[in-house]
Amino acid sequence: MTGNVAVVGGGIAGLETAVRLKALGWNPIIIEKSSSLGGHVAEWNCLFPDLAPADKLVKELVDAADGIEIHTDTEIASIFYTRKSYSIVLSDGSRFMCDSLVLATGFSLFQAEKKEEYGYGIYDHVITNRDLELWFNTGSDERVPSDPKAIGFVHCVGSRDIKAGNTQCSKVCCITAIKQAIELKEKFPKAEIYCFYMDLRLFGRKYEDFYIRAQRDMGIHFIRGRVSEVSETIDGRVFVKAEDTLSGKPLRVSLDLLVLMAGIVCNRENTTLAESISVQTDEDGFFRSRDNITHITESDRPGVFFAGTCTGPKTIPETLAEARSAAISVDAYLKSLK
Amino acid sequence: MIYQGKQKIWSEYQKEIPDDHWFYVRSCIRQSFFPGAEKHFLKITRDLLGKDIYETEHHTTCGGIAYHCDTIPQETAMTIVARQFALMTEAGYENLVASCITSFGNYCETIETWREFPELEARIREHLWKACRREFKVPKYVAHASDLIYKFRGEIAEKAKFHLVNKATGEPLRIVEHIGCHYSKMFPHKGVGGAEYPCVLSGMAEAWGGEVIDYPERRHCCGFGFRQYLVRANRGYSMSNTHKKFESMEPYHPDVIITNCPGCPFFLDRWQYVISETEGKTYGQNGYGIPVLTYEELAGLVLGYDPWDLGLQMHQVAVEPLLDKMGVPYEPSKKYLGLDEKEIMKPGLPTVLKCC
Amino acid sequence: MDFGFSLSPSSAVNLDRTDMSLYEMLCDREPTARTCIGCGSCSATCTASAISGMSVRKVLLGIQRGQYREVEKMLSHCMLCGKCTMVCPRGVNTRHLILELCRLYGNSEGEL
Amino acid sequence: MRERFASGFDPFVIPFLIGMAFVLGYCLFGMLRIWFQLPRKDRRKVVLSLITPKGIWKNVKDIFANCLLHVKLWKRNPVLGYMHSSIAFGWFMLIVLGHIEVWLFLPERLRLFYYPIFFNFFVAESESTIQGAVIFFLMDFFLLVVLSGIVLAMIKRVRSRIFGMRRTTNPSFLDRIGLYALWSIFPLRLLCESFTAHISGGSFLTLPMNWIFRQFLGNSMNALPTWWAYSIALGVFMCVLPFTRYMHIPAEMMLIPLRNAGLHILHPRKGFARLQFFSCPGCGVCIDACPMSAKKENIKDCTVYLNRQLRRGNEERIEQISDKCLLCGKCTAVCQVGVQGPEMRIAQRMLRRYAVNQHYTDIDPTKFVPEGGSSAKVLYFAGCMTHLTPAIGRSVRSVLDKAGVGFKMMDPDGGLCCGRPMMMAGRREQTRELIRINTDIIRASGCNTLLLSCPICYRIFKEKYSLEGIRVVHHSVYFDELIKQGRLKISGKTLRKLAYHDPCELGRGCGIYEQPRSAVSAVGTLVEAEKNREESICCGGSLGSLSLSYEKRKDITLASLRNLTVADPDTIVTACPLCQTTYGNYSEIPVKDIAQLIDDASK
């Protein structure tokens, strides 16, 4: 027995699991395909509902992971199960044995260009939630106008959309849209902001307060109706068609910026990874847990565990809690091997 | 507008269009609206491009108008379609090309329905056999006639005598393309360029030198809507739809509208007259309307055919301003002469809309 | 010329051309107006709705959609009984909102 | 007594004379203005009330008791009462005694206005003066009384809690000038009279002081500057009086006869209302009483501030204050001069012009057919609020059934509003229209008793509807009768402690305090709230307030609950569906309507 645990994915779930495993006396090894740690959270500017800076969270986790073996720009080349341990070969040529595997492969952001009618990548002022966070970080994106009069947010882009192949709710977009709308309103107080939603799913504590703040203090307009079609006006603005389902009337508005709330979809590499270690994925492409209520972090396969959004859309606190839970499960498993 | 974004989408919606050997089915209404269009499709494909296009006098309506007016049940419509397929099979063809967008949509819908519900196909075969003792094979490829012209747009451009360019200024003509609703809105992958940004017509326009304009109501229906027009009480609604499109395209000052559907050019053309009479508004320059052409007519113009042979005198909105811009020569005095050089009667002039 | 038909007016709401000044003035005077979530509790319990089309939800929506005439009609049936205020989950001060709106009507520019 | 100056005049009286002339002129003008602002009907009423001996006697008695002796204040807090009556009555007696002195000794000088005030300056003691010793004693005595009042007033400025007042008003600038002038008048008078006591005579207070002064001040004419100061203090006080809270002194004297004549406020700035806000002494008793002052930010919205803003004509604040008030009526209940805060606010709301005016002309009264036995004589109107608390409605019906009372339900599926909320919003036309339609429905029912389970409805049915021949009764009263008559058998009397809350509209609004208590006592052990009956505290849910938001009412409700639960009750009982709902949102112990309680305890 080596005491090694391979943690696939260096996002917040992978980092937290590794940190906890290390504290429990095991030797985690993080395998991250990109060149930096922190995953999607590292791209974000600040987090709901307290507007806490995302980089602080990531930095804390990365700092805590000091001393842990981390392979960035690396993927798993091959994996074999041999006598209660896994033999792993990485794309950088290194190889090692481990007793357990934690999959923290996270999610992919829905590709907004797939919803062709919204014209992402075609119209000059259509961006995604991720683009907006990058703009908050860098301040440079020529698609964001300098003095917008009207801004729209489209909720559920690629979520709860059978045509887009994703039936699940992405869980975090509603509150993210409200957060971003508030941030934009603070930056552009004169701009009218419209949120086009199907249902507002603001389930978490403080989220409703955030919503009330957006309505009452920020004067953000919430329009119940899905944007059906986006086009461009002669002066390059974004022209949006939706139904205001509360008044039962078609609604038109031209905007200077349209933000698409691209949803959480499964990591596209889940399927290949699942095949190579014989774990299951569900129809939606997320990993299948042994049990959706009591054993969300465990797979059907001994020694393989899940953490974070690879088993479905989750918030950051949920992801972190699950990472800790996965670490405990791994610990119990490894002790049982002794 | 980011052109590369559209190109990316177009690359995802390229359908396979065989090069040759097509069984051609005509539209019910186009020959009375714009009689030169189908004739010139055959002229261009057969004579100019040397393709094998077969047609038979035995084919009937596809049932699409009745189907979309809710006057015949689906099984009846499918049996009619099956008969067309039988005619094609009997003639030894596998590729079906439809002149009409609704027919094209109807064929696609029938084939897709049969794919999902094979038992329905079996039943239709039975119906067809009982009705007329015919059998059929489902076509291998179904195309709309504009798909073919799109496919051969480069060859047409090579043979072009005129371009979609304002001869006086050298600027490309501003072209509005209007795609029939049944072309790709039902099955995006059946249309060139998909449903949101179809490029079947814009591809032609660009290949022949024009500049396509994308205006907010581009995707909107022409207003025909079958029962919306056919039932007189609904006609105001039909016209309002067309009006909305014109209001939306007006700021772009289009030089011409091209269409690929039987109904659309008719309504975009005739409603300009009705709107001018009721609202006093015209959308072209100097009191003219915006000329509305079918893609065959436009191809014909590009290829240098005589405008009056193309049947452009049958349009409500005068096409002369467009001809002047393109530099196409025409004889005004021959506008209303038939093939036999005899007068075919001149229409009365509208009170508001300027015509030649 | 009469063709026996004419353009039908658009039923669409164009927010670019909708005058929101009345709504904004109302929100200045009764800020809770902004917090409506359109649940319809007010309309369901409304004493006047049984005898007219009164609905505070529709009133609030209507003034954001330029439907001033319909809103005026609804407002004219309110009895100020306060049931809507009591059932509102968001604590919208509906009675004040209605009274202020009744006052503001006609003050606002536009097509009122 | 003999005169020291033949002219009977000295220039120092001029400030006093100016002040006196100004204040008299001002008050006369103001009185006439108010008089002519009254509608003709009201003026007739007042005149008629003034010519009967009974009316005159009542007015004199009220003026004496309220303006001079401040009887109400004594009841509220003896120290506060003493402070006010010592100054008012003491001063009054000084003036009266001054006149008696002049009348006794120098009757020919009685026509000089200032003579009784500065009597001691102008006269010297003579042999005959010994008869005046009693008067001298009384003068010194009342001066001492007033001075004691002034000392208390000074203490009150610093420590109002001793006087039972948590919060007082902030005096305005002119108020302060008036206040300081008033404070200085009597110490100065003491000094003046002490300086001249060896010449003009004095008593136990002034003579000893005179003796002390003379030890180091030789020339008695040193006293002149002091007399100047005294006169100036009086002059200043009277000149600023119309612009300060002290205007209440003359205004109240006119208010009392007008109120006794039974006038109502019709306009918030004119006539009766004008007299009321000038009568406001700005004492601030209403601040502590006001349920809104549970929240500090609302303090400036109490009636005393409304009166101040009305005097100043600050339209914006008047509007705000008028809209915010809960109209619970408690300020009126505690007010020493009886300023009708809620009525003034409703009058202010009536002034408003609306672009959209409600109308109910298209409502057909015949569509509202009461449901129930055709021979039933009791018509039960649940009203809007009871419809939101169906348990109350059910209990009322159940109790009626148990008592064998046949009844009809006026609004089984919801009816029209009674009109009280409209009335509170100041919309008279709309109220009238609702009253008309409801009256038609009630009349058509053929019933002779209208039973109500909501005090809001009850009040307007009682006050504004003309329902001759039909008894309008609140369910708490009706059920109490049923119990007393033995028609309703109480089987389940408990020992549980029940705190009864007097709903504003039922208690202060309609004066019903005893019957609900009697009914509650019949089913349990009644305990009282700290403040109850006339001084019960509004639950905070009142429809009276137009602008107070839900969140801002929370503190009011909590304060009211604290008041209700001092006796540690097991259940809070009220007789108003709105109070029940409001308390229900925050109360930790059950809140029940009296109907539910009776229903549970009866068989």
Coordinates of all heavy atoms in Angstrom, one line a residue, chain A residues 235-274:
Chain A
D235 N -28.0 50.4 -35.7 CA -26.9 51.1 -35.0 C -26.1 50.1 -34.1 O -25.5 50.5 -33.1 CB -27.5 52.3 -34.1 CG -28.7 51.9 -33.3 OD1 -29.1 50.8 -33.4 OD2 -29.2 52.8 -32.6
G236 N -26.3 48.9 -34.4 CA -25.4 47.9 -33.7 C -25.9 47.5 -32.3 O -25.2 46.8 -31.6
R237 N -27.1 47.9 -31.9 CA -27.6 47.5 -30.6 C -28.2 46.1 -30.7 O -28.4 45.6 -31.8 CB -28.6 48.5 -30.1 CG -28.1 49.9 -30.0 CD -29.1 50.8 -29.4 NE -29.2 50.8 -28.0 CZ -30.2 51.1 -27.3 NH1 -31.3 51.5 -27.9 NH2 -30.2 51.1 -25.9
V238 N -28.4 45.5 -29.6 CA -29.0 44.2 -29.5 C -30.5 44.3 -29.4 O -31.0 45.0 -28.5 CB -28.4 43.4 -28.3 CG1 -28.9 42.0 -28.4 CG2 -26.9 43.5 -28.3
F239 N -31.2 43.7 -30.3 CA -32.7 43.8 -30.2 C -33.2 42.5 -29.8 O -32.9 41.4 -30.4 CB -33.2 44.2 -31.6 CG -34.7 44.4 -31.7 CD1 -35.2 45.6 -31.1 CD2 -35.5 43.5 -32.3 CE1 -36.6 45.8 -31.2 CE2 -36.9 43.8 -32.4 CZ -37.4 44.9 -31.8
V240 N -34.0 42.5 -28.7 CA -34.4 41.3 -28.0 C -35.9 41.1 -28.1 O -36.7 42.1 -27.9 CB -34.0 41.3 -26.5 CG1 -34.7 40.3 -25.7 CG2 -32.5 41.1 -26.4
K241 N -36.3 39.9 -28.4 CA -37.8 39.6 -28.4 C -38.0 38.5 -27.3 O -37.3 37.5 -27.3 CB -38.2 39.0 -29.8 CG -38.2 39.9 -30.9 CD -38.8 39.2 -32.1 CE -38.7 40.0 -33.3 NZ -39.2 39.3 -34.5
A242 N -39.0 38.8 -26.6 CA -39.4 37.8 -25.5 C -40.9 38.0 -25.3 O -41.5 38.9 -25.9 CB -38.7 38.1 -24.2
E243 N -41.5 37.1 -24.5 CA -42.8 37.3 -24.1 C -42.8 37.7 -22.7 O -42.1 37.1 -21.9 CB -43.7 36.1 -24.3 CG -45.2 36.4 -24.1 CD -46.1 35.3 -23.8 OE1 -45.7 34.1 -24.0 OE2 -47.3 35.5 -23.4
D244 N -43.5 38.8 -22.4 CA -43.7 39.1 -21.0 C -44.9 38.2 -20.5 O -46.1 38.5 -20.7 CB -44.1 40.6 -20.8 CG -44.4 40.9 -19.4 OD1 -43.9 40.2 -18.5 OD2 -45.1 41.9 -19.2
T245 N -44.6 37.1 -19.9 CA -45.6 36.1 -19.7 C -46.6 36.6 -18.6 O -47.7 36.1 -18.5 CB -45.1 34.7 -19.3 OG1 -44.3 34.9 -18.1 CG2 -44.2 34.1 -20.4
L246 N -46.2 37.5 -17.8 CA -47.1 38.0 -16.7 C -48.2 38.9 -17.3 O -49.2 39.0 -16.8 CB -46.3 38.7 -15.6 CG -45.4 37.8 -14.8 CD1 -44.7 38.5 -13.7 CD2 -46.2 36.7 -14.1
S247 N -47.8 39.6 -18.4 CA -48.9 40.4 -19.0 C -49.4 39.7 -20.2 O -50.3 40.2 -20.9 CB -48.4 41.8 -19.3 OG -47.4 41.8 -20.3
G248 N -48.8 38.6 -20.6 CA -49.2 37.9 -21.8 C -49.1 38.6 -23.1 O -49.8 38.4 -24.0
K249 N -48.0 39.4 -23.1 CA -47.8 40.2 -24.3 C -46.4 40.0 -24.8 O -45.5 39.9 -24.0 CB -48.1 41.7 -24.1 CG -49.5 42.0 -23.9 CD -49.7 43.5 -23.9 CE -51.1 43.9 -23.6 NZ -52.1 43.4 -24.5
P250 N -46.2 40.0 -26.2 CA -44.9 40.0 -26.7 C -44.2 41.3 -26.3 O -44.8 42.3 -26.1 CB -45.1 39.9 -28.2 CG -46.5 39.9 -28.5 CD -47.3 40.1 -27.2
L251 N -42.9 41.1 -26.1 CA -42.1 42.3 -25.6 C -40.9 42.5 -26.4 O -40.2 41.5 -26.8 CB -41.8 42.0 -24.1 CG -41.1 43.1 -23.3 CD1 -41.8 43.2 -22.0 CD2 -39.7 42.9 -23.1
R252 N -40.6 43.7 -26.7 CA -39.4 44.0 -27.5 C -38.6 45.1 -26.8 O -39.2 46.0 -26.2 CB -39.8 44.6 -28.9 CG -40.9 43.9 -29.6 CD -40.3 42.9 -30.5 NE -41.3 42.1 -31.2 CZ -41.8 40.9 -30.7 NH1 -41.4 40.5 -29.6 NH2 -42.7 40.3 -31.4
V253 N -37.3 44.9 -26.8 CA -36.5 46.0 -26.2 C -35.1 45.9 -26.9 O -34.6 44.9 -27.3 CB -36.3 45.8 -24.7 CG1 -35.6 44.5 -24.3 CG2 -35.7 47.0 -24.0
S254 N -34.5 47.1 -27.1 CA -33.2 47.1 -27.6 C -32.2 47.5 -26.5 O -32.5 48.3 -25.7 CB -33.0 48.1 -28.8 OG -33.7 49.2 -28.6
L255 N -31.1 46.8 -26.5 CA -30.1 46.8 -25.4 C -28.7 47.2 -26.0 O -28.5 47.0 -27.1 CB -30.1 45.5 -24.7 CG -31.4 44.9 -24.3 CD1 -31.3 43.4 -23.9 CD2 -31.9 45.6 -23.1
D256 N -27.9 47.7 -25.1 CA -26.5 47.9 -25.5 C -25.6 46.7 -25.1 O -24.5 46.7 -25.6 CB -26.0 49.2 -24.7 CG -26.9 50.4 -25.1 OD1 -26.9 50.7 -26.3 OD2 -27.5 51.0 -24.3
L257 N -26.1 45.9 -24.3 CA -25.3 44.7 -23.9 C -26.3 43.6 -23.5 O -27.3 43.9 -22.8 CB -24.4 45.1 -22.7 CG -23.5 43.9 -22.2 CD1 -22.5 43.6 -23.3 CD2 -22.8 44.3 -20.9
L258 N -26.0 42.4 -24.0 CA -26.8 41.3 -23.6 C -25.9 40.2 -22.9 O -24.9 39.9 -23.6 CB -27.6 40.7 -24.8 CG -28.6 39.6 -24.4 CD1 -29.7 40.1 -23.7 CD2 -29.0 38.9 -25.7
V259 N -26.2 39.8 -21.7 CA -25.4 38.9 -21.0 C -26.1 37.5 -21.0 O -27.3 37.5 -20.5 CB -25.0 39.3 -19.6 CG1 -24.0 38.4 -19.0 CG2 -24.5 40.7 -19.6
L260 N -25.5 36.5 -21.5 CA -26.1 35.2 -21.5 C -25.6 34.4 -20.3 O -24.4 34.2 -20.1 CB -25.8 34.4 -22.8 CG -26.1 35.2 -24.1 CD1 -25.6 34.3 -25.3 CD2 -27.6 35.5 -24.3
M261 N -26.6 33.9 -19.5 CA -26.2 33.2 -18.3 C -26.0 31.7 -18.7 O -26.9 30.9 -18.6 CB -27.3 33.3 -17.2 CG -27.5 34.7 -16.8 SD -26.1 35.6 -16.4 CE -25.5 34.7 -15.0
A262 N -24.8 31.5 -19.3 CA -24.5 30.1 -19.7 C -24.5 29.2 -18.5 O -23.9 29.5 -17.5 CB -23.1 30.1 -20.4
G263 N -25.1 28.0 -18.7 CA -25.3 27.1 -17.5 C -24.2 26.1 -17.3 O -23.2 26.1 -18.1
I264 N -24.3 25.4 -16.3 CA -23.4 24.3 -16.0 C -23.8 23.0 -16.7 O -24.9 22.6 -16.6 CB -23.4 24.0 -14.4 CG1 -22.7 25.2 -13.7 CG2 -22.7 22.7 -14.1 CD1 -22.7 25.1 -12.2
V265 N -22.9 22.5 -17.5 CA -23.1 21.2 -18.2 C -22.0 20.3 -17.8 O -21.0 20.7 -17.3 CB -23.3 21.4 -19.7 CG1 -24.5 22.3 -20.0 CG2 -22.0 21.9 -20.4
C266 N -22.2 19.0 -18.1 CA -21.2 18.1 -17.7 C -19.9 18.3 -18.4 O -19.8 18.8 -19.5 CB -21.7 16.7 -17.9 SG -21.8 16.3 -19.7
N267 N -18.8 18.0 -17.7 CA -17.5 18.0 -18.3 C -17.5 17.0 -19.5 O -17.8 15.8 -19.3 CB -16.4 17.7 -17.3 CG -15.0 17.9 -17.8 OD1 -14.8 17.9 -19.0 ND2 -14.1 18.2 -16.9
R268 N -17.1 17.5 -20.7 CA -17.2 16.6 -21.8 C -16.3 15.4 -21.7 O -16.4 14.4 -22.4 CB -17.0 17.4 -23.1 CG -18.2 18.2 -23.5 CD -17.9 19.0 -24.7 NE -16.8 20.1 -24.5 CZ -17.1 21.3 -24.0 NH1 -18.3 21.6 -23.7 NH2 -16.2 22.2 -23.8
E269 N -15.2 15.6 -20.9 CA -14.3 14.5 -20.8 C -14.7 13.4 -19.8 O -14.0 12.4 -19.7 CB -12.9 15.0 -20.4 CG -12.2 15.8 -21.6 CD -11.4 16.9 -21.1 OE1 -10.8 16.8 -20.1 OE2 -11.4 17.9 -21.8
N270 N -15.8 13.6 -19.1 CA -16.3 12.7 -18.2 C -16.4 11.3 -18.7 O -16.0 10.3 -18.1 CB -17.6 13.1 -17.6 CG -17.4 14.1 -16.5 OD1 -16.3 14.6 -16.2 ND2 -18.5 14.5 -15.9
T271 N -17.0 11.2 -19.9 CA -17.4 9.9 -20.5 C -16.1 9.1 -20.8 O -16.1 7.9 -20.4 CB -18.1 10.1 -21.8 OG1 -18.9 11.3 -21.7 CG2 -19.0 9.0 -22.2
T272 N -15.1 9.7 -21.4 CA -13.9 8.9 -21.6 C -13.2 8.5 -20.3 O -12.7 7.3 -20.2 CB -12.9 9.7 -22.5 OG1 -12.8 11.0 -21.9 CG2 -13.3 9.8 -23.9
L273 N -13.2 9.4 -19.4 CA -12.6 9.0 -18.1 C -13.3 7.9 -17.4 O -12.8 7.0 -16.9 CB -12.6 10.3 -17.2 CG -11.7 10.3 -16.0 CD1 -10.2 10.0 -16.3 CD2 -11.8 11.6 -15.2
A274 N -14.7 8.0 -17.5 CA -15.5 7.0 -16.9 C -15.3 5.7 -17.5 O -15.2 4.7 -16.8 CB -17.0 7.4 -17.1

